[in-house]
Structure formats: C-alpha cells, structure tokens
Amino acid sequence: MPPLKKPVVLDNDVVSRLYSASALRRALEVWPKLSFRVTERVIEEAEQWRTQGQALLALLRELEAEKTLLVTCIDETSEEEIWTYARLQLEKKLGRGESASIAIACHRGFDIATDDSVATDICKTMNPSVAIFGTGALLNMAVQEGLMTRNEVNAIQYKIRRASKA
Amino acid sequence: MPTNTMTPSAVTVGQALKHARAAMGLTLKQVSKSMGTAISTISEIESGKRRISAVELYRFAKLYQRPISFFLEESETSASFAILMRAAGSASVSKETIINFHELCRSYRDLKKLVRAPEMPSPPDYSASRLTALDQAEELAKTERSSLGLNGQPIKDICDLLEGKRGIKIFHLPEDEGRFSGAFTYDEQLGACFLINSHHPERRRTFTVAHEYAHCVAHRNQLAHIDTCPAFEIKNPRERFANAFAAAFLMPRHTVNEVLGQLVFPQKSALTAEVLVHLAMYFGVSFEAMGWRLVSLRRLSLSRWEELSSQQVPSSPTARLLGYCKEEEPPDTVPRQYKYLSYKAYEMKLISFEKLAELLRRNYYELKEEFEQGSREGNE
C-alpha cells in the first residue's frame, strides 16, 4: 500500500518529537495538503506548555491555516465514535487525546502516527485495519516517496535522539 | 450501544446521571432546558427505563463536568462526595474543585488496582466515642503520636507521614485563600481523602492537614466535612476539638516545654517574638498556631499574645533572619505514593505517557522535558 493513502492522526508524542528536532513543519509540509489531523487535545497541551507552548501553538495554527493539518475532535453526533472513545477512557490506560485520536481513526478510516507502545497495542486490538506508524516510519516514508533526502531525515533523527536520549 | 463488553445496565447509567445532576444542584427542568430534551425523557433515562444514546451521554458528561467513563462504571456514586458537593454549593469551595478532587481520589484507587499495589493501612476510627472535649483532643493526639512512633519529635512532613502510615490520600488544589482551608471525606471504596488549599503557605497547610486528621479519626461518621477560614477563633465544638487535636499533634506539650526551657533564659523572663518564631520553625507551624498553642498550655498570657500578634512579627527582620519568610514553591497536587504508582504503571507499560501526564495533572510537554532532562543527566 502506498504510504499516506489515508489522512493520518498525529498524537502528542509525534508532534513533540518532531518539534524537539525543529522538524515539525518540514516533516509535514512535504506531503499533500490535508494529510494530517491533530486533536484539540494537542492544541490544549501546547497552549498550557509554559516555556515553548506559544511558539508550538503558533506553528500548529500556521500549519492549520496552510491546510497542512486539520484540528479535529470527537464527532458529537457519531454514536460509534463516542462509544469507542468512552470505551478507551474506561480502560484508563490512555490519555484523552490518544483516546480521541484512536476513536477518530477507527471510525473515519484514518491512520495513526504514535510512538507510544501502549497506544499502539490498544489501537491494534481496537481496529486491526488502522495502520499505525511512529515518527521514524513517517520520516522514512518521506524518503521512499522522494519527498525528503536520506541525509535530511538522518539529521532529523539524530536531533530527535539527542533530544530524547533515554 | 454497540459493544456489549463495556456497556453497563441502563439502571447503572441512569443512577450515575441522577447522582451527578443532584451533585451539581440542577433540577430536571434546568437540565431539560440546557440539553433541549424533554423532562420526561431525562426522567426515564435516570430511572433506567430508557437506554441512553452515546450522543446524549456525551452531552450529559459535558454538562455535569465529568469524564464520560464516570457514568459507565459500577458503584461510582459516593455518599461522602455527594455531601461535599452539596456543601460546595453554598460554602467556600467551588463544585469544580470538588469534582476535581473526586476524580483524583478515583484515579488513586484505579492506579492501586492497575499496578496491584498492596493494601494501605487505614486510620483508626474513634467516632463512636463522640469526642468533643479539649482534654480528650490532647489525649487522642498523644495516643496517635505514640501509635505513629513519633515520640516527642516534630513532624517533618505530615502528608508523607499520614499517607505512608495511615493510607490517607492528600491532594492540594488551589482555592480562594480567604475562604477555604481544607476538606476531608471518608468513603468505603476510596478510603480517607483530604483536600488542602494549595494557595495557603506550607505552615498553614500543615495545620490544616492535622485538623482534617482530627475529623477523620474523631468525626468519621460525618463522612465528609469542609473547613472554611478563619482557622483559630471558632465556637463550634467539633472545630475547636479538631484545632486542639492539631495543635497537640504538631506541638506536643512535653516537647514544647522542653524546647521553651532551652530558649527562655533566665527562667520566667518574658516570652519574646523571637522565641515564638524559633518555636514555630522548630515545629513547622505558623507563628499564629504556635502562639495559640502556648496560650492553651498557659505558657503565654492572652494579653501578651495579643500584643505579639499585633506586631506583624512573621514579616519582621528578625523572622527573616531566622528564615521564617522563605519563598515557597507551591505544593504538588498529588501525593508522593500516587506519583510513584503512576510512574510504576507507566514503567510497566500499563499506561501511556499522555495518561501519565494526565494522572499527575501535568502538562504533557513539560513532563516530557523533565523526563528527557533526567535521561540526559543520567547518561552523562
């Protein structure tokens, strides 16, 4: 299956990693318009980040204005989407943003980008047809598609590793 | 409801909705107006005669300021929190804070289940003895100190002590500092839980925790209680009992006399403001609490105390010199054991990082920065 055939919901983890490497804009803008979604929760978390939140928020708003990404939320008229969200919240293993991302992906036929293993496992169980990939895979797909160079991606990955050396 | 595995009965959901509405102090008519739904429909939903749709439940959850999962769990109604919610309507604390407090207590319980943490000890219950006399408060404080293995020494961290040895869950949330000091609840499922106003200085909070502990052990049958300001000059016998207990618990008579003997010389000379500041710091309490304790122990006359308390001693240069006025960091919202359990759950890959941030009431990005900073320092 060619990459990014469907819109991809980005969770906080992926946004955070790409932003820490100053590569959020670059990693998203190489793809066609409207390829990405973030939930309102991502925006809320950015708003409350005391040190760099305003800069991240401004970037997310710019990307939204350019239609590189869309901000989305649980569809308050969709029975299925709400029940999936409620079920995920009832498990008490995921945050509200992740639960919303998975519910949205499951019911709107989107894919998910997350680096969190707990979110990945739960999403796989919830709906095996949703493709899940991490930040690294997203960047590698851009290389495969000829949208970014290997050197560029290696430099971003190096920065991410440095920022989150664990 | 499409998924049978998670759907509770219509009765369970209905009851939870009914309790949440009552807790918010809303009538059927008010809810009907807000939701644009007929009163009869809401009534049928609450009595379990009509199954609720997800769309309706989502809207109810928003109106009642609860997570949607709250209405899907069995036995989520709590008599003690219902008391707090009713009191919050007319008292010094907002309903939003009480809901937040309830959610934190529920999260604590869920975390313990998730990581299979061992059962914590429970605080003793003396409520059957109907204690109200001040000498009984002094005696009970002495018994409790002895049972906690404190002997005469001052209590370094009362929150850690009561959480570790009595299993009490103590949370700090910001509220109006002139109106609210603390609250306690006791619930079969959630255990003993205290809410303390994080806007108060540390010494004041210490006294409030001890005061709530008095309610918890001596007035447990009340199930829940909200403490308003002011703290000391009150007439209610239970409140006076709780203050006397707190004072004796934090400033045991024998130790006060012993330390005073070392500070006041020559003997029988007048008790100065410096001595009071020194004592307050020794016991980790406020100048005011120390002063009233010395009055109650007859080591300070009321007139001399009135004189001292009018001198703005806590902000005097001497108090600064002794370190009384140090800048304080606000307290953490959640207690240490709760943090440990949250981290443990994350480490065991039982919860995601976003959930960890939510449980700790921390911003996702700030917590991430802290983790990355810690990892870098660990690697260097």
Coordinates of all heavy atoms in Angstrom, one line a residue, chain B residues 88 91-98 172-183 195-201 204-205 208 226-231:
Chain B
A88 N -20.5 22.4 48.8 CA -19.8 23.3 48.0 C -20.7 24.4 47.4 O -20.2 25.5 47.1 CB -19.1 22.5 46.9
A91 N -20.9 26.9 50.2 CA -19.8 27.1 51.0 C -18.6 27.8 50.3 O -18.8 28.4 49.2 CB -19.3 25.8 51.7
S92 N -17.4 27.6 50.8 CA -16.3 28.3 50.4 C -15.5 27.7 49.2 O -14.5 28.3 48.8 CB -15.4 28.4 51.6 OG -15.2 27.1 52.1
V93 N -15.9 26.6 48.8 CA -15.2 25.9 47.7 C -16.0 25.6 46.5 O -17.2 25.4 46.7 CB -14.6 24.6 48.4 CG1 -15.7 23.7 48.9 CG2 -13.7 23.8 47.4
S94 N -15.4 25.7 45.3 CA -16.3 25.5 44.1 C -16.6 24.0 43.9 O -15.8 23.2 44.3 CB -15.5 26.1 42.9 OG -14.4 25.3 42.6
K95 N -17.7 23.8 43.2 CA -18.1 22.5 42.8 C -17.0 21.9 41.8 O -16.7 20.7 41.9 CB -19.4 22.5 42.0 CG -20.6 22.6 43.0 CD -21.9 22.6 42.2 CE -23.1 22.9 43.1 NZ -23.4 21.9 44.0
E96 N -16.4 22.7 41.0 CA -15.4 22.3 40.1 C -14.2 21.7 40.8 O -13.7 20.6 40.5 CB -14.9 23.5 39.3 CG -14.2 23.1 38.0 CD -13.6 24.4 37.3 OE1 -14.1 25.5 37.6 OE2 -12.7 24.2 36.5
T97 N -13.8 22.3 42.0 CA -12.7 21.8 42.8 C -13.1 20.5 43.4 O -12.3 19.5 43.4 CB -12.3 22.8 43.9 OG1 -11.9 24.0 43.2 CG2 -11.2 22.3 44.8
I98 N -14.3 20.3 43.9 CA -14.7 19.1 44.5 C -14.8 18.0 43.4 O -14.3 16.8 43.7 CB -16.1 19.2 45.2 CG1 -16.0 20.3 46.3 CG2 -16.6 17.9 45.7 CD1 -15.1 19.9 47.4
H172 N -3.7 18.5 46.9 CA -3.7 20.0 47.0 C -4.2 20.6 45.8 O -3.7 20.4 44.7 CB -2.2 20.5 47.2 CG -1.6 20.1 48.6 ND1 -1.1 18.9 48.8 CD2 -1.6 20.8 49.7 CE1 -0.6 18.8 50.0 NE2 -0.9 19.9 50.6
L173 N -5.2 21.5 45.9 CA -5.8 22.2 44.8 C -6.0 23.7 45.2 O -6.2 24.0 46.3 CB -7.1 21.6 44.4 CG -7.1 20.2 43.8 CD1 -8.5 19.6 43.6 CD2 -6.4 20.2 42.4
P174 N -5.8 24.6 44.2 CA -6.0 26.0 44.5 C -7.4 26.4 44.7 O -8.3 26.0 44.0 CB -5.4 26.7 43.3 CG -5.5 25.7 42.2 CD -5.5 24.3 42.8
E175 N -7.6 27.2 45.8 CA -8.9 27.8 46.1 C -8.7 29.1 46.7 O -7.6 29.5 47.0 CB -9.7 26.9 47.0 CG -10.7 25.9 46.3 CD -11.8 26.6 45.6 OE1 -12.2 27.7 46.0 OE2 -12.4 26.0 44.7
D176 N -9.8 29.9 46.9 CA -9.8 31.2 47.5 C -9.1 31.1 48.9 O -9.6 30.4 49.7 CB -11.2 31.7 47.6 CG -11.3 33.2 48.1 OD1 -10.3 33.6 48.8 OD2 -12.2 33.8 47.8
E177 N -8.0 31.8 49.1 CA -7.3 31.6 50.3 C -8.0 32.2 51.5 O -7.7 31.9 52.7 CB -5.8 32.1 50.2 CG -5.6 33.5 49.7 CD -4.1 33.7 49.5 OE1 -3.3 33.5 50.4 OE2 -3.8 34.2 48.4
G178 N -8.9 33.1 51.3 CA -9.6 33.7 52.4 C -10.8 33.0 52.8 O -11.5 33.3 53.8
R179 N -11.2 31.9 52.1 CA -12.5 31.3 52.4 C -12.4 29.8 52.7 O -13.2 29.2 53.4 CB -13.4 31.5 51.2 CG -13.7 33.0 51.0 CD -14.7 33.1 49.8 NE -16.0 32.5 50.0 CZ -16.8 32.2 49.1 NH1 -16.5 32.4 47.8 NH2 -18.0 31.6 49.4
F180 N -11.4 29.1 52.1 CA -11.3 27.7 52.2 C -10.0 27.2 52.7 O -8.9 27.6 52.2 CB -11.6 27.0 50.8 CG -11.4 25.5 50.8 CD1 -12.4 24.7 51.3 CD2 -10.3 25.0 50.1 CE1 -12.2 23.3 51.3 CE2 -10.2 23.6 50.1 CZ -11.1 22.8 50.7
S181 N -10.0 26.3 53.7 CA -8.7 25.7 54.1 C -8.5 24.3 53.7 O -7.5 23.9 53.2 CB -8.4 26.0 55.6 OG -9.5 25.6 56.3
G182 N -9.6 23.5 54.0 CA -9.4 22.1 53.7 C -10.7 21.3 53.8 O -11.7 21.9 54.2
A183 N -10.7 20.0 53.4 CA -11.9 19.2 53.5 C -11.4 17.7 53.7 O -10.3 17.4 53.3 CB -12.7 19.3 52.2
L195 N -8.5 17.2 51.1 CA -8.2 18.2 50.1 C -7.7 19.4 50.8 O -8.4 19.9 51.8 CB -9.5 18.5 49.3 CG -9.5 19.8 48.4 CD1 -8.4 19.6 47.3 CD2 -10.8 20.1 47.8
I196 N -6.6 19.9 50.4 CA -6.0 21.1 51.1 C -5.8 22.2 50.1 O -5.4 22.0 49.0 CB -4.6 20.7 51.7 CG1 -4.7 19.4 52.6 CG2 -4.0 21.8 52.5 CD1 -5.6 19.5 53.8
N197 N -6.0 23.5 50.6 CA -5.9 24.6 49.7 C -4.4 24.9 49.4 O -3.7 25.3 50.3 CB -6.5 25.8 50.4 CG -6.7 27.0 49.4 OD1 -6.0 27.0 48.4 ND2 -7.4 28.0 49.8
S198 N -4.0 24.8 48.2 CA -2.6 24.9 47.8 C -2.2 26.4 47.8 O -1.0 26.7 47.8 CB -2.3 24.3 46.4 OG -3.1 25.0 45.5
H199 N -3.1 27.3 47.9 CA -2.8 28.7 48.0 C -2.3 29.2 49.4 O -1.8 30.2 49.5 CB -4.0 29.6 47.6 CG -4.1 29.7 46.1 ND1 -5.3 30.2 45.5 CD2 -3.2 29.5 45.1 CE1 -5.1 30.2 44.2 NE2 -3.9 29.8 43.9
H200 N -2.5 28.3 50.4 CA -2.0 28.7 51.7 C -0.5 28.3 51.9 O 0.0 27.4 51.2 CB -2.8 27.9 52.8 CG -4.2 28.5 53.0 ND1 -5.2 27.8 53.6 CD2 -4.7 29.7 52.6 CE1 -6.3 28.5 53.7 NE2 -6.0 29.7 53.1
P201 N 0.2 29.1 52.7 CA 1.6 28.7 53.0 C 1.8 27.4 53.6 O 0.8 26.8 54.2 CB 2.1 29.9 53.9 CG 0.9 30.7 54.3 CD -0.3 30.2 53.5
R204 N 0.7 26.8 57.3 CA -0.7 26.8 57.4 C -1.3 25.4 56.9 O -2.2 24.9 57.5 CB -1.3 28.0 56.6 CG -2.8 28.0 56.5 CD -3.5 28.5 57.8 NE -4.9 28.4 57.6 CZ -5.7 29.4 57.1 NH1 -5.1 30.5 56.7 NH2 -7.0 29.3 57.1
R205 N -0.8 25.0 55.8 CA -1.3 23.7 55.3 C -1.0 22.5 56.2 O -1.9 21.6 56.4 CB -0.6 23.4 53.9 CG -1.0 24.4 52.8 CD -0.6 23.9 51.4 NE 0.7 23.4 51.4 CZ 1.8 24.1 51.0 NH1 1.7 25.3 50.6 NH2 3.0 23.5 50.9
T208 N -3.7 22.5 58.7 CA -4.9 22.1 58.1 C -5.0 20.6 58.0 O -6.0 19.9 58.3 CB -5.2 22.7 56.7 OG1 -5.1 24.1 56.9 CG2 -6.5 22.4 56.2
I226 N -16.2 20.2 55.2 CA -15.5 21.3 54.6 C -15.0 22.3 55.7 O -15.9 22.7 56.5 CB -16.3 22.0 53.5 CG1 -16.4 21.1 52.3 CG2 -15.6 23.3 53.1 CD1 -17.3 21.7 51.2
D227 N -13.8 22.7 55.7 CA -13.3 23.7 56.7 C -13.1 25.0 56.0 O -12.3 25.1 55.0 CB -12.0 23.2 57.3 CG -12.3 22.2 58.4 OD1 -13.0 22.6 59.4 OD2 -11.9 21.0 58.3
T228 N -13.7 26.0 56.6 CA -13.6 27.3 56.0 C -12.6 28.1 56.8 O -12.1 27.7 57.9 CB -15.0 28.0 56.0 OG1 -15.5 28.0 57.3 CG2 -15.9 27.4 55.0
C229 N -12.3 29.3 56.5 CA -11.5 30.2 57.2 C -12.4 31.1 58.1 O -13.5 31.3 57.7 CB -10.6 31.1 56.3 SG -9.6 30.1 55.2
P230 N -12.0 31.7 59.2 CA -10.7 31.6 59.8 C -10.4 30.3 60.5 O -11.4 29.6 60.8 CB -10.7 32.8 60.8 CG -12.1 32.9 61.2 CD -12.9 32.5 60.0
A231 N -9.2 30.0 60.9 CA -8.9 28.7 61.4 C -9.0 28.6 63.0 O -9.3 27.6 63.5 CB -7.5 28.3 61.0

